[in-house]
Amino acid sequence: MSNIKFDPDKNFYFHHGMSKRVAETGTSWPHYHSLYEIYFLKEGSCTYIIDDKVYNVRSGDIVIIPDGIIHHTKYDNIKHSRILINCRKDYIPQSVRAGIFSGNYLYRNPFVTDEIKRLLTKIEKEYMLRDAFSDEVMLCHTHSLFYLLMRNADTCLAVDEGNRVIEQAVAYIKENFASDITLSSLSKMFCVSPEHFSRMFKKETGLGFSKYLNSLRLQHAEQLLKSAEIQNITRVAECCGFEDSNYFSKKFKEAYGASPKKVQKTGRGQGK
């Protein structure tokens, strides 16, 4: 199991190419960041599951994801090329934040694709150069990228709708992850057999139902542990839908690389 929370050891991270895990499996693990994410697909196509939305992403699309939002990708054709940036909020101009994060995460505008590529090339050059001015220049270029997107928002094309059944299922799981959700109960909601729903969920998201459900539960558990809202680990597990606290602790440590107790203590210390 990969970490559900991934944050680079930098305030600005740039990667151009293919993800190692995706190259091997075709699917990234559901995860989230404390940083914002900018994703540009240069070649190929993929399904992008963000929060409770499913997007069919194609070459030239750019995806902007706020911090704390669970997301992952699934590639039908593993061969692809993408640019990925994780950055602090201040890399996004204050004046455009409301427009950028208005509920739609995917931006499709072939009229400015070439300019987007040029700006991303400039950002990559500064990221690799890393001299005394690179951080400020990357900030300027990233601001320019967001101004470009917003100035041309009215020429965006409609994005491909994802599978509506899966979107509704993901939205339901998001709202009810702490309850006793089962594959059987969810499939009944959509009037299909558990076998058919399981195949459809895996086909659209690249993940099994249980793995996806656990990723949401573990994210909420981390938030509870760090907030010190609930002191008892067993109670945290119950509030997140885990009936067995030992199983919860095992899955939590696999995902975060630390026990719930340790994360709880670390979270309290940061809050002082």
Side-chain angles (χ1 to χ4, degrees):
M1 186 184 209
S2 299
N3 285 352
I4 188 174
K5 185 176 183 181
F6 169 70
D7 279 331
D9 296 329
K10 306 172 183 177
N11 291 321
F12 191 97
Y13 170 82
F14 187 103
H15 186 265
H16 186 176
M18 293 174 61
S19 160
K20 182 179 179 182
R21 172 185 167 82
V22 172
E24 294 173 350
T25 66
T27 305
S28 66
W29 184 257
H31 63 282
Y32 61 99
H33 316 276
S34 298
L35 304 175
Y36 286 68
E37 179 162 303
I38 305 165
Y39 172 102
F40 178 74
L41 187 60
K42 289 187 67 178
E43 298 177 37
S45 61
C46 73
T47 301
Y48 218 126
I49 299 89
I50 309 169
D51 201 12
D52 57 0
K53 300 284 184 68
V54 180
Y55 295 99
N56 296 316
V57 183
R58 61 195 192 201
S59 176
D61 289 348
I62 191 164
V63 177
I64 312 294
I65 307 174
D67 58 330
I69 301 293
I70 282 192
H71 56 279
H72 76 281
T73 50
K74 181 185 79 70
Y75 294 84
D76 294 325
N77 182 351
I78 296 177
K79 186 177 180 180
H80 67 283
S81 177
R82 56 92 166 113
I83 290 174
L84 179 69
I85 294 172
N86 291 114
C87 60
R88 295 191 318 263
K89 191 174 185 176
D90 57 330
Y91 280 86
I92 305 169
Q94 178 73 41
S95 59
V96 308
R97 289 175 193 169
I100 288 289
F101 304 118
S102 57
N104 185 32
Y105 301 106
L106 191 150
Y107 182 101
R108 177 174 294 159
N109 192 338
F111 304 105
V112 296
T113 299
D114 288 342
E115 185 60 27
I116 289 172
K117 289 180 179 178
R118 281 192 287 270
L119 283 169
L120 290 172
T121 297
K122 289 179 179 179
I123 293 171
E124 181 174 17
K125 180 180 178 181
E126 291 298 329
Y127 186 79
M128 300 303 293
L129 180 61
R130 307 304 296 170
D131 66 11
F133 306 102
S134 291
D135 287 340
E136 292 183 21
V137 176
M138 284 191 296
L139 179 65
C140 291
H141 288 327
T142 308
H143 276 204
S144 294
L145 173 64
F146 281 102
Y147 288 132
L148 174 70
L149 298 180
M150 290 307 298
R151 276 181 166 173
N152 295 276
D154 58 344
T155 58
C156 283
L157 303 183
V159 299
D160 303 332
E161 291 188 2
N163 186 303
R164 290 297 299 153
V165 170
I166 297 303
E167 282 195 341
Q168 292 171 20
V170 168
Y172 182 84
I173 294 170
K174 178 188 173 186
E175 293 298 320
N176 300 278
F177 63 84
S179 62
D180 184 22
I181 302 177
T182 65
L183 181 63
S184 177
S185 65
L186 204 54
S187 62
K188 285 180 181 178
M189 290 179 57
F190 298 100
C191 302
V192 296
S193 70
E195 294 77 16
H196 178 71
F197 181 82
S198 179
R199 287 194 298 270
M200 182 168 55
F201 195 91
K202 182 69 178 288
K203 178 183 177 182
E204 292 296 324
T205 69
L207 295 166
F209 162 75
S210 295
K211 287 184 177 180
Y212 189 81
L213 175 60
N214 274 350
S215 70
L216 295 183
R217 287 174 167 173
L218 291 170
Q219 181 194 27
H220 188 64
E222 186 216 15
Q223 293 169 350
L224 287 179
L225 290 166
K226 287 188 173 181
S227 70
E229 181 180 338
I230 301 174
Q231 304 295 324
N232 186 275
I233 299 297
T234 299
R235 180 60 183 149
V236 171
E238 291 173 353
C239 287
C240 298
F242 291 98
E243 296 182 359
D244 185 331
S245 60
N246 290 326
Y247 175 78
F248 160 67
S249 294
K250 176 184 176 183
K251 290 298 178 183
F252 189 91
K253 189 169 185 178
E254 287 177 356
Y256 288 94
S259 69
K261 190 68 88 173
K262 185 173 181 179
V263 169
Q264 188 178 55
K265 289 180 179 179
T266 302
R268 288 176 187 169
Q270 291 175 344
K272 292 180 179 179

